Amino acid sequence: MRQLQDTVWQRRGTSWVWDEEARNQVCAASEVWSLRQFLRTAGAPGVPRSWPDDLPSNGRRTLVVAGLDGSLDLLTPTDADLWLSDAIKPAILSFQDEYEGDAALVFWLPTGHSRIKVQASTDAVSWLCHAPHGYQLDFGRILWGEANEYPQEILMRPGGKPAGLFHLRIT
C-alpha cells in the first residue's frame, strides 16, 4: 500500500485514523461529532441533508466522527455489511458532494491500529470486529469497491507506524 506523509488528509478526502497525535492535529476532543450526529446531518432517503456551512475543526475544513468502531461491533456480519453499504457509504458520498471534495472527513477509530488489516499482496483492507461476532468485514470492497490502489497509509513521520488510512475520493 502506498504511504502518505503529506497533510492532505487533514483538508480533503476521507480518512480512518487511530493515532491520537494525528487526531489532535485536526481537532480538539470537544469538536468530535458522534456517528449519530453525522448520519442525521447526512440525511436519509427522503430526509433533507443539513450540512453546516462551516465544519467544526481544522480551520473549518474538517469533520471528525467517532463511534463507527463500536457500532460495527454490535452488528452481525450480514447487518454490518449492509449498514456500511446502505448507510455509511451514502453518508460519506453526501459529505463529499456537499463540500465538493474541498473538506476532510475523518473517522476516529482509537483501536483501529489492531483492527484494520491490510493484506500486503493485494492491499485489500478489512476490519476485525470484536466478540461476540469476531469476524473480518471487507472494508475496502464495501466502501471503495476494491479500488485498492487508492487508499494510502497515513504516516506522521518518515519510517513511523501508520496513523490511519486516507482515500481522496470514494466513488
Side-chain angles (χ1 to χ4, degrees):
M1 180 168 285
R2 293 185 351 205
Q3 296 181 329
L4 175 71
Q5 292 181 2
D6 191 300
T7 60
V8 66
W9 68 272
Q10 298 175 8
R11 299 177 306 279
R12 303 183 72 199
T14 302
S15 300
W16 295 268
V17 171
W18 49 83
D19 182 86
E20 191 171 0
E21 176 188 349
R23 192 219 50 217
N24 289 340
Q25 285 190 6
V26 294
C27 78
S30 63
E31 298 167 343
V32 176
W33 279 23
S34 70
L35 185 61
R36 179 184 305 246
Q37 184 178 7
F38 169 68
L39 292 172
R40 191 174 337 155
T41 302
V47 177
R49 301 173 181 173
S50 59
W51 293 109
D53 291 335
D54 295 321
L55 295 172
S57 302
N58 196 28
R60 304 178 194 276
R61 300 184 73 173
T62 305
L63 175 62
V64 179
V65 177
L68 180 62
D69 48 351
S71 297
L72 290 172
D73 286 343
L74 295 173
L75 298 170
T76 66
T78 302
D79 290 342
D81 190 290
L82 288 171
W83 183 67
L84 274 178
S85 63
D86 294 348
I88 299 301
K89 185 172 181 177
I92 293 170
L93 296 174
S94 172
F95 179 90
Q96 287 179 166
D97 290 347
E98 179 69 22
Y99 298 103
E100 299 174 347
D102 199 28
L105 174 61
V106 177
F107 288 96
W108 168 236
L109 305 168
T111 62
H113 68 284
S114 63
R115 302 190 55 204
I116 291 218
K117 301 295 180 197
V118 177
Q119 184 169 18
S121 61
T122 63
D123 285 340
V125 177
S126 60
W127 174 262
L128 178 60
C129 291
H130 279 309
H133 305 295
Y135 60 94
Q136 285 194 358
L137 190 60
D138 194 349
F139 220 58
R141 177 188 56 79
I142 298 166
L143 293 177
W144 54 81
E146 295 187 68
N148 293 330
E149 67 274 11
Y150 297 118
Q152 300 172 59
E153 290 180 318
I154 299 168
L155 298 181
M156 300 302 292
R157 59 195 54 76
K161 291 183 179 181
L165 292 178
F166 166 74
H167 202 298
L168 184 59
R169 183 156 183 89
I170 304 279
T171 56

